């Protein structure tokens, strides 16, 4: 699947975001290593910390469907610069993606920036840190 298609899908799902508190809608699309496409949008809550990010939604959809690994991700928002995943989402992505998995960050105005999971999260916490 091409990058354009992932951005298109992230753009489409972004419209469904529930963001009445921040008014900042985010869309995420990911392709699994198994070859399937999953999307997520942010879902806010009046109890603010209960809100979830677009990336978390897409990851949950992938795992619920039975796929196991992320190959590629796109995230989009109406922001002045391409929107990066938040810190928590970086760790969530790293759980299921190789460090060189590509992430395309995009704005609704058409700006894009390419990065990788490992670039966004240097020094990440891994299972190896729990092994003596
Ligand atoms: N948000 C995401 O969905 N993904 C990110 O990586 C950045 C932040 C959402 C969370 C919240 O609903 C809104 O954007 C403002 O922080």
């Amino acid at each position: 699947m091409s990058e354009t298609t992932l951005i298109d899908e992230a753009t489409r799902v972004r419209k469904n975001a529930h963001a009445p508190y921040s008014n900042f809608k985010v869309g995420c699309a990911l392709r699994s290593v198994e070859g399937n496409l999953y999307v997520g949008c942010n879902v806010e809550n009046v109890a603010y910390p209960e809100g979830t990010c677009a990336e978390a939604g897409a990851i949950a959809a992938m795992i619920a469907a039975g796929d196991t690994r992320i190959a590629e991700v796109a995230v989009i928002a109406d922001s002045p610069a391409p929107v990066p995943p938040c810190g928590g989402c970086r760790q969530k992505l790293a759980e299921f993606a190789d460090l060189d998995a590509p992430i395309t960050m995009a704005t609704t105005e058409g700006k894009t920036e390419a990065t990788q999971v490992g670039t966004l999260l240097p020094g990440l916490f891994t299972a190896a840190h729990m092994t003596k």
Side-chain angles (χ1 to χ4, degrees), residues 28-125:
C28 176
L30 66 83
R31 182 173 52 83
S32 66
V33 166
E34 292 86 352
N36 299 305
L37 181 75
Y38 299 98
V39 296
C41 55
N42 52 332
V43 182
E44 297 183 349
N45 191 281
V46 65
Y48 295 173
E50 300 304 325
T52 51
C53 286
E55 296 89 331
I59 291 168
M62 180 190 83
I63 295 301
D67 284 358
T68 59
R69 297 290 294 169
I70 296 168
E72 193 182 347
V73 185
V75 187
I76 192 163
D78 183 11
S79 49
V83 64
C86 76
C89 285
R90 295 176 193 206
Q91 186 75 40
K92 288 184 179 77
L93 291 166
E95 179 79 10
F96 302 106
D98 291 346
L99 295 182
D100 64 355
I103 302 184
T104 303
M105 306 177 293
T107 73
T108 52
E109 298 295 309
K111 286 186 205 159
T112 63
E113 203 177 310
T115 187
Q116 296 182 335
V117 169
T119 306
L120 287 181
L121 193 59
L124 79 165
F125 176 69

